[in-house]
């Protein structure tokens, strides 16, 4: 027997029309929402390290992480609104973020400055890889707009990785 999925009137109100179709909408939403969750988690982790920085390079590292945190935060709204433009539903709560995020939280009371930078470097590298995977899904579904956004965000993430790498090279 064929199952029929009922769409509530409320869900219909949120389903923005798109020529990409329902299959593409679902695939792209499933690819982008974890990136939104990871951006939230990476933002909090970056700001955590920004707030708890110490040591002889305090000012430089503190400012670097503030700049990177602001850049990550700016990605969140763009990605979430892209999901909504496609008629998808996006992040609703901290619990929802936790269920989707792959960036690991960092609750250590003290982390050395070098370890902070190393952890963020790895997180940014892995985040770029997940964005590339999402880009592939966008390509497969002919979503050039989301792919284009991801290209910019991948470049920004690679820049953050580069700066963290060079800072560690001292």
């Amino acid at each position: 027997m064929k199952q029929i999925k009922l769409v509530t009137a409320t869900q219909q109100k949120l389903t923005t029309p798109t020529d990409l179709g329902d299959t593409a909408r679902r695939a792209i939403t499933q690819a982008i929402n974890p990136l939104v969750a990871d951006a939230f988690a990476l933002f909090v982790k970056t700001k955590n390290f920004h707030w708890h920085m110490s040591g002889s390079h305090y000012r430089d590292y503190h400012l670097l992480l503030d700049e990177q945190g602001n850049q990550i935060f700016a990605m969140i709204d763009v990605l979430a609104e892209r999901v909504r433009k496609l008629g998808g539903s996006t992040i609703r709560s901290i619990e929802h973020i936790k269920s989707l995020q792959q960036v690991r939280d960092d609750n250590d009371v003290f982390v050395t400055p070098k370890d902070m930078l190393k952890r963020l470097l790895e997180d940014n590298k892995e985040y770029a890889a997940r964005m590339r995977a999402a880009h592939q899904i966008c390509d497969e579904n002919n979503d050039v707009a989301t792919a284009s956004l991801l290209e910019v965000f991948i470049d920004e993430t690679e820049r953050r990785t580069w700066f963290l790498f060079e800072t560690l090279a001292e």
Side-chain angles (χ1 to χ4, degrees), residues 60-166:
D60 292 335
Y61 295 171
H62 181 79
L63 294 174
L64 172 68
L65 298 184
D66 194 36
E67 176 185 303
Q68 290 193 357
N70 291 338
Q71 186 181 69
I72 295 163
F73 186 75
M75 294 169 43
I76 295 168
D77 193 53
V78 174
L79 290 170
E81 285 186 355
R82 184 65 196 152
V83 169
R84 288 293 298 122
K85 286 177 193 174
L86 294 173
S89 179
T90 194
I91 303 301
R92 289 183 197 80
S93 66
I94 298 298
E95 183 178 339
H96 194 189
I97 291 168
K98 187 72 175 161
S99 73
L100 295 174
Q101 79 183 67
Q102 292 185 43
V103 172
R104 295 184 66 183
D105 291 334
D106 200 308
N107 293 310
D108 292 342
V109 173
F110 179 80
V111 180
T112 67
K114 282 220 183 282
D115 283 341
M116 289 178 180
L117 300 177
K118 286 178 187 175
R119 291 175 190 184
L120 291 174
L121 180 131
E122 289 304 314
D123 287 336
N124 278 280
K125 279 178 27 184
E126 292 166 4
Y127 189 52
R130 288 191 294 279
M131 283 191 285
R132 281 187 182 83
H135 188 287
Q136 181 64 37
I137 291 167
C138 294
D139 285 348
E140 291 167 2
N141 287 282
N142 199 31
D143 181 3
V144 295
T146 307
S148 179
L149 292 173
L150 289 173
E151 288 165 4
V152 171
F153 294 153
I154 290 166
D155 182 60
E156 290 176 358
T157 303
E158 289 174 336
R159 185 174 192 264
R160 288 192 305 273
T161 301
W162 172 38
F163 277 39
L164 291 164
F165 173 77
E166 291 298 339

Side-chain angles (χ1 to χ4, degrees), residues 27-46:
I28 296 161
T29 295
Q30 288 174 354
I32 300 302
N33 273 336
L35 297 178
V36 176
D38 276 342
F40 269 110
L42 188 55
F43 168 73
V44 171
K45 190 175 202 174
T46 301

